[in-house]
Amino acid sequence: MAVATTQRPASRPLAGLEAGHRRYREKFIVGGLFLCAAFSIVVTVGIVFALVVPSVDFFRAISPVEFFTGTEWAPLFKNSKFGVLPLLSGTIVVTLIAAVICLPLGLAAAIYLSEYAARRTRSFVKPILEILAGIPTVVYGFFALTFITPLLRENWPFGTPPGVFNALSAGLVMGIMILPTVASISEDAMFAVPQSLRAGAAALGATKYEISTRVVVPAGLSGIIAAFVLGISRAIGETMIVLIAAGGTPTLSFNPAEAMQTMTAFIGAAGLGDQATGSVGYKTIFAVGITLFVMTLVMNIISIRLVRKYREVYD
Amino acid sequence: MSTSTPQRASTPPVSLTSRRGWWHRARDGAFRGAVTGSVVVGLVVLVALILQSLIKGWSRLNWDLLTSFPSSFPDRAGIQSAIFGTLWMVGIVLVTAIPIGVGAAIYMEEFADTEAWYNRLIDVIIQNLAAVPSIVYGILGLAFLSRGLLDLGPVVITAGLTLSFLVLPVVIIASREAIRAVPSSILDGALALGATRWQGVSRQVLPASIPGIATGSILAVSRAIGEAAPLLLLGALQFITFNPTGLNSSFTALPIQIFNWISRPQEGFHVAAAAAIIVLLGITLLMNAVAIWLRNRFQQTW
């Protein structure tokens, strides 16, 4: 202690100098941290450039009208056809199947976790459900191909069973994969609904079913819709499940028992095919990529807006 | 739980209970069953998925699988080069995405002027990046790293950086939440004692938010380990019978190797794929479990 007290007066003037030195060091550090944050802008600009530049080239060679209205997709054949509609219909079919599974199940799971589950049950059910979101997508693809597809083929009630590759199996498994995303965001929204609204409804004699469906769900609706939109956006962007289980044939059809190719699966398959850099086959990757990117971007922006809305209402 | 107490209190008034007849009770019970059932569906699929891989791949799950290299004979094929490839990529993610992500989170939470247009832009951009499909990151890697601008080819560094871009928003969002959870009084205390802002943040706020940051980082690495789609575009699907020797070495990775085996017609490769899936699931589920445990163990209520 004695040493410290004698030293202190001596170091005082120095401390003043040090503060100045520190100010510069501090600015330097904060500048570095800002660069880290700004790096996300670099990545975004990179993505946009990576998609736009080759796509412009592509659309110079193939007219956008042919691309968006053509009903045949065979870009890598000699007699090439560049109609993206079969890929779009494949994406829509798989996404719809996934939505039919993950939207009601996800909402119901959120209601269970937020309104029904006891605190202890919730504390272990929620993490287990979140594990579903952490499983690698190749694993889901394998599960769809070797478990769900045979199950469907053996127990098919409507005539000709689906083929080894079909959109149905991929869509079903994708729905389960997205379930925790939908459930967790919906539950956040329900959690933000003030307790007083529930208490008020209960005081008027509402049952738990009535509180859930007529108070909590309507009050958290913007967040729930955000969860739905984000879930659908994830379904559109998912690659491995469809690449493995839905097959590689672009089919303009809405029959879920058929093999189909989605936009993502095409990009993945084209990447596998090792296209020569600069060839038309190479550029189709980017043209389909930008279509996919714009679709998911619009949905993500809607979803982010909606989440902000419910936060503003109840925070 | 707190809702059940006021609800129970609503039973005594006779006028209300007369309306709450058997129909309301039945409907309430059916609804409870339905919402519980939806969770059960998720859990059943999880169990089925794990069991299916275990049953199918059990016979190949042994030391030979881990130490052998890929082979054109299904019963001799192994995942040594895939495991080393994946480890290299994890290493790259650890030294790039994690520090940059945590740095960005510190800036956004503690130093950024939230009114400035560029900070609001960064905020929106990070949220959007988190939802960009993984295959689009593959396109980014293809256009700038693998071919195009840098033309590095399908090598370790290309794939590692692409995966780093992919998980960066995950790291930032999780770290921001962890930093935000530390009450501002901690930093105010440090500032009142004469610390500079950076001193307060680096010595008080950051240590307090380490568990949350670690949880987010583990989940991000686990995501990088399981991701296959962007790697397909980089040309990573190759027959690699050696471990990567450096950043510009060719490589294969676990999910890519699994995808390769799944897409082959021979049943033997499907068995090998199932065995490799057990390994991959083991790694990712373990990391998820550790992350959840960390979160629950060190979660502080201030």
Side-chain angles (χ1 to χ4, degrees):
Chain A
M1 276 312 283
V3 184
T5 31
T6 49
Q7 248 180 7
R8 212 165 263 166
S11 69
R12 270 268 155 78
L14 269 178
L17 282 177
E18 209 175 78
H21 165 73
R22 258 191 219 138
R23 257 202 311 275
Y24 286 114
R25 208 183 71 150
E26 195 108 329
K27 276 194 175 147
F28 191 70
I29 291 171
V30 175
L33 294 176
F34 173 73
L35 288 184
C36 289
F39 189 67
S40 56
I41 299 182
V42 176
V43 174
T44 308
V45 171
I47 290 177
V48 171
F49 262 85
L51 289 170
V52 168
V53 174
S55 297
V56 167
D57 255 13
F58 174 85
F59 285 118
R60 247 185 227 139
I62 284 92
S63 84
V65 177
E66 184 191 344
F67 185 72
F68 287 110
T69 60
T71 54
E72 255 184 285
W73 180 256
L76 309 177
F77 293 166
K78 204 168 181 187
N79 194 2
S80 49
K81 294 272 194 322
F82 294 95
V84 83
L85 287 181
L87 297 184
L88 216 52
S89 75
T91 302
I92 291 170
V93 169
V94 175
T95 302
L96 278 180
I97 298 166
V100 165
I101 297 293
C102 76
L103 302 190
L105 284 185
L107 178 60
I111 293 175
Y112 172 78
L113 289 173
S114 133
E115 307 299 316
Y116 282 88
R119 189 178 261 217
R120 282 195 53 167
T121 328
R122 189 179 175 281
S123 71
F124 72 85
V125 168
K126 204 180 177 201
I128 294 178
L129 214 53
E130 276 169 3
I131 281 180
L132 278 174
I135 289 178
T137 50
V138 256
V139 178
Y140 278 115
F142 184 73
F143 182 67
L145 181 70
T146 63
F147 188 82
I148 300 293
T149 298
L151 209 65
L152 290 174
R153 277 157 65 88
E154 279 156 31
N155 305 296
W156 190 250
F158 324 104
T160 333
V164 175
F165 299 111
N166 61 79
L168 183 58
S169 154
L172 290 174
V173 171
M174 197 190 282
I176 295 293
M177 182 196 86
I178 300 166
L179 193 160
T181 309
V182 175
S184 138
I185 299 175
S186 307
E187 200 220 341
D188 281 349
M190 292 181 193
F191 188 76
V193 174
Q195 204 59 34
S196 56
L197 291 186
R198 294 185 182 89
L204 293 172
T207 60
K208 220 160 196 184
Y209 161 77
E210 286 161 336
I211 295 175
S212 305
T213 55
R214 296 188 200 162
V215 177
V216 178
V217 169
L221 198 60
S222 66
I224 293 167
I225 295 171
F228 284 8
V229 174
L230 190 70
I232 291 170
S233 156
R234 290 209 41 200
I236 294 174
E238 168 49 36
T239 307
M240 295 314 289
I241 299 177
V242 278
L243 190 59
I244 292 170
T249 33
T251 336
L252 185 58
S253 152
F254 288 93
N255 178 3
E258 277 184 56
M260 285 180 190
Q261 194 171 42
T262 63
M263 293 189 288
T264 51
F266 166 75
I267 298 172
L272 284 175
D274 203 29
Q275 316 297 329
T277 311
S279 66
V280 179
Y282 178 76
K283 283 175 196 154
T284 52
I285 295 177
F286 299 90
V288 177
I290 200 166
T291 315
L292 171 74
F293 180 72
V294 169
M295 283 173 75
T296 52
L297 184 70
V298 169
M299 307 195 80
N300 299 337
I301 289 173
I302 295 173
S303 168
I304 290 168
R305 282 261 162 103
L306 286 169
V307 166
R308 198 164 293 160
K309 201 171 154 200
Y310 85 71
R311 291 230 168 109
E312 271 166 14
V313 172
Y314 293 119
D315 270 4
Chain B
M1 273 320 283
S2 43
T3 47
S4 64
T5 345
Q7 206 194 335
R8 213 161 280 151
S10 75
T11 336
V14 188
S15 57
L16 281 177
T17 37
S18 61
R19 271 200 66 230
R20 317 276 86 179
W22 65 271
W23 159 242
H24 289 90
R25 276 201 305 278
R27 195 172 58 173
D28 208 34
F31 187 68
R32 171 186 282 272
V35 293
T36 315
S38 68
V39 175
V40 172
V41 168
L43 301 186
V44 164
V45 172
L46 180 64
V47 171
L49 185 140
I50 293 171
L51 276 184
Q52 141 91 352
S53 321
L54 277 176
I55 292 168
K56 195 156 183 142
W58 190 252
S59 61
R60 281 297 320 273
L61 190 69
N62 49 35
W63 194 244
D64 280 348
L65 178 86
L66 300 179
T67 54
S68 304
F69 289 104
S71 157
S72 38
F73 302 98
D75 46 343
R76 266 192 250 157
I79 54 174
Q80 190 187 341
S81 50
I83 288 177
F84 276 90
T86 292
L87 284 178
W88 273 89
M89 262 161 275
V90 169
I92 293 173
V93 169
L94 284 179
V95 299
T96 56
I98 308 285
I100 293 178
V102 174
I106 296 171
Y107 176 79
M108 294 303 287
E109 286 303 316
E110 299 293 352
F111 294 98
D113 166 16
T114 47
E115 293 300 305
W117 65 270
Y118 49 88
N119 290 328
R120 286 211 309 257
L121 177 73
I122 293 175
D123 192 32
V124 172
I125 274 183
I126 291 168
Q127 290 183 56
N128 270 306
L129 278 182
V132 168
S134 61
I135 193 131
V136 172
Y137 284 95
I139 294 181
L140 174 70
L142 176 70
F144 284 109
L145 303 173
S146 171
R147 298 198 207 165
L149 197 64
L150 296 179
D151 205 11
L152 297 167
V155 293
V156 169
I157 184 77
T158 317
L161 288 180
T162 304
L163 290 177
S164 289
F165 296 151
L166 173 74
V167 299
L168 184 64
V170 182
V171 179
I172 297 178
I173 290 171
S175 305
R176 283 186 71 174
E177 269 168 24
I179 293 170
R180 204 179 306 145
V182 179
S184 55
S185 55
I186 303 276
L187 181 61
D188 291 344
L191 294 179
L193 290 173
T196 65
R197 200 169 179 85
W198 169 246
Q199 285 173 330
V201 169
S202 63
R203 296 183 202 172
Q204 303 301 330
V205 179
L206 213 50
S209 54
I210 286 289
I213 293 177
T215 303
S217 303
I218 293 172
L219 290 178
V221 169
S222 151
R223 168 108 192 263
I225 290 176
E227 199 62 65
L231 302 186
L232 292 181
L233 271 179
L234 303 176
L237 190 64
Q238 307 168 81
F239 191 69
I240 302 286
T241 55
F242 54 87
N243 295 330
T245 50
L247 291 177
N248 56 358
S249 168
S250 296
F251 74 102
T252 180
L254 258 184
I256 289 287
Q257 191 61 57
I258 292 169
F259 173 70
N260 181 337
W261 286 340
I262 293 174
S263 46
R264 292 190 189 210
Q266 299 98 316
E267 181 62 18
F269 279 117
H270 283 195
V271 175
I277 280 175
I278 299 170
V279 176
L280 182 65
L281 270 183
I283 297 171
T284 49
L285 294 189
L286 184 71
M287 295 185 78
N288 274 274
V290 169
I292 290 165
W293 175 80
L294 258 180
R295 189 172 63 193
N296 294 343
R297 171 74 180 73
F298 291 102
Q299 201 168 43
Q300 259 168 313
T301 38
W302 297 87

